[in-house]
Amino acid sequence: AVHLHRLFLADFRSYAAAEVGFAPGLTVVVGANGFGKTNLLEAIGYLATLKSFRGVPTEAMIRAGATQAVVRAEAVRGERSLLIEAELVARGRGRIQVNKQRVPRARDLLGSIRVSVFSPDDIALIKGGPAERRTYLDDTLVALHPRHDALQADVDRILRQRNALLRQLGGRLRADDEFTLDVFDAKLAAAGDALAAARADLVGRLEPALREAYARVAGRPATVEVRYLAPWQDEGLAAALAAGRGDDVRRGTSLVGPHRDDLAVDLDGLPSRTHASQGEQRSLALALRLAAHGVVTEAVEEAPVLLLDDVFSELDPARSAALLAALPPGQALLTTAGALPAGAAPELVVTVGEDGRLS
């Protein structure tokens, strides 16, 4: 397992400079809202995924007035020490190093540290639109294996190129453009079929773990079902693109493919997005995170670091206690602005002061 020892920040978010250590088990970061607790978890998440779990661009993570930020972490995997360093720049590509060796491609860093992030915004996995659920699946796939990052990047790139061509057509497909569109369709079909197959396989692996996690968090067994919704998958993306070409040309965009797919989450036979209560939706969102954590842990034989950002602020005492009891073994970092739920037994408590000082 990976144990994150220390985190160093320079010009990251609200921190001009900061250093903080973590316990092998549960570390709790305490401080009032706006003091910078979440920034610490965001920095760790960035080292794991090379993006912000808040969904903001790189420049938003650089302290106001600075031109770059540095995030550095000391960790141990088994007997091996890890020093991971990332330089964030507003424009261009920053440097990434592992044990002082430059990583030639950013995605080569993926897998050095894995994280599972829990936040109050997770309810969007149930109440939000399909994009939230696609991101959940895709982030889990990358945690399973970095090759999925390249596959997702291929799909995104081909879609951008295809959509740019469709916009240029102005609703009319000429013979010389048809060949170019055929090329994009072939590329999109190959990459899109592969991504959808990976997502569907993941959904099959998630369902039993999700059912078990929901029972623990909600305090009751329930019938929880998840289905990957890709209406085109049976016929294949190539056939679906051919059948929908006329509509794509008229609308100037790609109307079918993995970028339009969804994940259905049903509770006791009904769609959770429209029929579950607020409490049930929060329990389902937590269960989705716990299920993904369990699937990744089993597949890579190493538990990701749990990052719990102020999740107890949105949970009632019973669900807070149930979530604590359901947390898997391993390292966890938890932020809170209030009192800890009953049953929490942190190995280390870090306090963030009004000036951002850590103690």
Side-chain angles (χ1 to χ4, degrees):
V2 167
H3 167 211
L4 191 64
H5 268 307
R6 299 195 74 76
L7 178 70
F8 305 85
L9 303 178
D11 290 326
F12 184 88
R13 286 286 192 179
S14 58
Y15 294 99
E19 177 181 345
V20 60
F22 305 108
L26 176 61
T27 297
V28 172
V29 182
V30 181
N33 290 328
F35 282 12
K37 302 184 305 296
T38 299
N39 299 344
L40 299 176
L41 302 194
E42 184 181 31
I44 296 166
Y46 183 83
L47 287 180
T49 64
L50 293 176
K51 60 184 180 181
S52 165
F53 64 69
R54 290 159 146 172
V56 302
T58 299
E59 55 264 29
M61 292 181 279
I62 300 172
R63 192 169 65 94
T67 58
Q68 64 178 42
V70 175
V71 180
R72 187 165 80 250
E74 293 176 353
V76 173
R77 170 178 282 124
E79 300 295 317
R80 183 184 173 219
S81 295
L82 280 175
L83 176 64
I84 303 172
E85 301 167 283
E87 178 186 73
L88 292 72
V89 295
R91 292 178 179 81
R93 294 169 58 183
R95 290 180 302 168
I96 298 167
Q97 295 186 151
V98 176
N99 290 340
K100 296 296 183 182
Q101 298 297 310
R102 186 161 184 173
V103 176
R105 296 180 307 172
R107 67 169 52 106
D108 291 337
L109 177 67
L110 300 175
S112 296
I113 292 179
R114 292 178 173 87
V115 296
S116 296
V117 181
F118 296 69
S119 82
D121 293 340
D122 284 345
I123 197 166
L125 294 176
I126 305 299
K127 294 182 72 170
E132 304 281 353
R133 292 179 285 276
R134 288 194 299 268
T135 298
Y136 163 78
L137 292 175
D138 290 345
D139 287 350
T140 305
L141 285 173
V142 173
L144 286 168
H145 200 291
R147 69 170 177 270
H148 291 116
D149 182 70
L151 178 58
Q152 293 164 26
D154 284 346
V155 170
D156 291 344
R157 175 179 49 80
I158 298 163
L159 273 170
R160 284 196 303 272
Q161 293 170 336
R162 187 177 191 269
N163 286 339
L165 174 62
L166 289 170
R167 287 193 299 271
Q168 290 171 11
L169 295 179
R172 295 175 56 198
L173 183 61
R174 291 165 288 275
D176 53 342
D177 295 314
E178 193 165 4
F179 173 77
T180 307
L181 193 53
D182 286 342
V183 171
F184 286 145
D185 283 7
K187 290 180 177 180
L188 182 58
D193 281 338
L195 179 56
R199 287 174 176 172
D201 176 70
L202 171 60
V203 171
R205 297 159 73 179
L206 282 168
E207 189 169 66
L210 176 61
R211 194 172 296 129
E212 181 182 334
Y214 182 81
R216 294 205 309 271
V217 173
R220 71 171 183 92
T223 302
V224 184
E225 297 174 302
V226 282
R227 290 166 289 116
Y228 183 59
L229 303 180
W232 53 270
Q233 206 170 12
D234 286 344
E235 61 178 332
L237 189 49
L241 288 171
R245 177 171 285 193
D247 288 338
D248 286 1
V249 170
R250 279 190 295 275
R251 297 277 295 275
T253 192
S254 303
L255 298 171
V256 65
H259 60 298
R260 293 291 185 109
D261 296 346
D262 199 358
L263 175 70
V265 184
D266 294 344
L267 180 64
D268 292 330
L270 295 170
S272 60
R273 186 169 183 262
T274 52
H275 288 70
S277 69
Q278 182 95 340
E280 288 170 334
Q281 290 176 335
R282 290 209 177 277
S283 292
L284 274 171
L286 290 168
L288 280 169
R289 292 296 187 197
L290 286 168
H293 181 88
V295 166
V296 171
T297 300
E298 183 179 358
V300 305
E301 299 181 337
E302 180 179 280
V305 178
L306 289 166
L307 305 179
L308 298 104
D309 183 32
D310 203 26
V311 289
F312 298 111
S313 65
E314 299 291 335
L315 299 178
D316 58 42
R319 283 189 170 85
S320 295
L323 174 58
L324 270 176
L327 288 181
Q331 189 173 32
L333 313 177
L334 184 158
T335 68
T336 181
L340 282 176
E347 294 178 33
L348 177 66
V349 175
V350 175
T351 301
V352 184
E354 186 173 2
D355 56 0
R357 188 169 298 172
L358 304 171
S359 60

